[in-house]
Amino acid sequence: MNDPLPNEIDEALWDEACRRAEAIRGFLMHRSGKVAVGDMTLLAAELEVSRATAFRLIKLFRNGGTVVSLVERKPGRPDGSRVLDEKREEIIRTTINRYYLNKNRPSISQLVRDVQTGCISVGLKPPHRRTIETLLEDIDLQKRAKRRGETEVVKRTTAVPGMLTASRPLQIVQVDHTKADIFVVDEETRLPIGRPWLTLAMDVCSRMVTGFYLTMEAPSRLSTSLCLLHSVFDKSSWLREREIIEPWPVAGLPETLHVDNGSDFRSRAFKRGCEDAGIAIDWRPPGEPRFGVQRDNQDETKRQSR
């Protein structure tokens, strides 16, 4: 059976897998080779599992090296999948936009009652409260707070301007899109086709470009992903294919990605992909291209916003 994508996994299972990955990374960082029984007992206690399960999780993590490899597998319908029909989902989204995302700030309980009333009125079975909450959580937290006039939440989720510095290579890598200052023309008619989009990854410490992707398509999750793949992998074969003799000595996973608030960087797939590889994300506010590191506790803010 294929593993689910990071953005398809239930929130609670993902959070637990992240906790396991952090504990195991710290455990393995100071140990190599065979692990002592006493040490394994301590790890098992921290993970709140049996010693045998702790051994199994370490093996899974060593083989996979990702958060996904530590997600608890359960029988039955895949975690994170939804079976909600389109009509009921449309009622939920319409009710959220029309009645919940406004400055009257009704409660979630009121939202649930409104959705249930809407479904019953057209002869549909009302969805469970948790289903409604899941769709609500898909909405960007800051967008939701702005629509509801929750100034404190907006403040907590807005990056604080400040100088961005790094003391070592790959500690922070910035990724952004820009239109190249060049026109591409048709090779036969010589008519202009348009300006290409350049997605660039740059190491903050060394100011070296770690990877890029050039395309005529508008910025998307695909262009971001291909840029990051180019950034992470060794460039030797890429340079040989293009008969480039100059070295490009950069490869490896960054510790943190510093990005703006574009939809591709705010997508669940991007967030989960970074979490899966152990990469932190810092978003910067609009209008501050060189400043701002967001350090707020999003989970705590989300709970308080309710």
Side-chain angles (χ1 to χ4, degrees):
M1 183 175 65
N2 293 330
D3 287 337
L5 295 173
N7 59 306
E8 297 174 341
I9 298 171
D10 177 79
E11 200 73 33
L13 291 179
W14 182 261
D15 289 344
E16 176 59 20
C18 287
R19 187 182 74 86
R20 289 177 172 182
E22 184 178 359
I24 293 174
R25 283 193 188 104
F27 180 81
L28 295 177
M29 189 178 298
H30 303 95
R31 295 169 179 83
S32 60
K34 191 174 181 180
V35 180
V37 175
D39 290 342
M40 187 58 67
T41 301
L42 294 175
L43 177 63
E46 182 179 356
L47 296 176
E48 299 177 353
V49 297
S50 67
R51 202 165 62 192
T53 300
F55 272 111
R56 179 176 60 82
L57 292 175
I58 285 181
K59 183 178 179 181
L60 287 171
F61 190 71
R62 278 175 166 167
N63 291 336
T66 63
V67 174
V68 168
S69 62
L70 299 177
V71 172
E72 183 179 356
R73 303 301 195 265
K74 293 183 178 180
R77 182 165 56 90
D79 293 304
S81 63
R82 295 176 183 170
V83 294
L84 193 66
D85 57 89
E86 292 183 4
K87 290 183 178 180
R88 289 191 296 169
E89 183 169 339
E90 180 60 30
I91 290 175
I92 294 174
R93 295 193 184 280
T94 299
T95 306
I96 288 174
N97 286 320
R98 185 176 300 171
Y99 301 111
Y100 183 80
L101 294 182
N102 60 63
K103 294 186 179 181
N104 291 330
R105 299 201 296 184
S107 64
I108 289 184
S109 296
Q110 182 62 52
L111 170 66
V112 172
R113 288 193 292 269
D114 290 341
V115 170
Q116 291 174 341
T117 300
C119 289
I120 292 173
S121 66
V122 294
L124 296 174
K125 181 182 178 181
H128 191 273
R129 178 190 178 99
R130 183 55 197 160
T131 301
I132 300 171
E133 290 178 342
T134 299
L135 289 177
L136 188 62
E137 289 169 357
D138 286 343
I139 302 172
D140 179 75
L141 179 59
Q142 191 172 81
K143 175 185 175 182
R144 189 169 74 193
K146 286 180 178 179
R147 289 278 300 273
R148 286 166 59 83
E150 297 168 333
T151 55
E152 283 301 314
V153 177
V154 173
K155 183 178 179 181
R156 290 172 188 160
T157 55
T158 300
V160 179
M163 183 64 68
L164 187 67
T165 59
S167 59
R168 57 187 179 277
L170 296 183
Q171 182 182 7
I172 303 176
V173 171
Q174 292 180 302
V175 182
D176 205 354
H177 314 285
T178 185
K179 266 194 172 182
D181 292 330
I182 186 172
F183 275 94
V184 177
V185 300
D186 186 278
E187 61 182 349
E188 293 183 359
T189 66
R190 312 306 295 173
L191 293 175
I193 299 173
R195 291 166 57 189
W197 279 95
L198 174 65
T199 301
L200 201 68
M202 179 175 289
D203 177 60
V204 171
C205 178
S206 64
R207 307 311 297 170
M208 176 180 283
V209 172
T210 64
F212 71 91
Y213 182 68
L214 192 66
T215 178
M216 298 302 296
E217 303 294 331
S220 65
R221 285 181 294 179
L222 176 61
S223 51
T224 301
S225 299
L226 292 174
C227 174
L228 289 175
L229 283 175
H230 190 223
S231 172
V232 167
F233 286 112
D234 181 79
K235 312 297 189 296
S236 301
S237 60
W238 188 90
L239 294 170
R240 282 197 301 270
E241 289 174 3
R242 290 156 181 80
E243 299 181 353
I244 300 174
I245 60 174
E246 296 296 327
W248 192 355
V250 60
L253 288 172
E255 297 176 31
T256 299
L257 287 179
H258 188 65
V259 296
D260 63 24
N261 287 285
S263 58
D264 51 333
F265 297 128
R266 282 288 184 180
S267 69
R268 193 180 191 189
F270 177 74
K271 296 176 188 177
R272 289 286 178 88
C274 289
E275 287 180 328
D276 191 35
I279 302 172
I281 307 174
D282 276 332
W283 288 280
R284 61 178 181 255
E288 295 287 348
R290 295 181 179 84
F291 298 89
V293 179
Q294 183 163 308
R295 305 187 187 281
D296 298 297
N297 188 323
Q298 294 285 334
D299 292 335
E300 180 62 26
T301 303
K302 182 179 290 186
R303 286 193 293 271
Q304 293 178 2
S305 70
R306 293 186 173 187

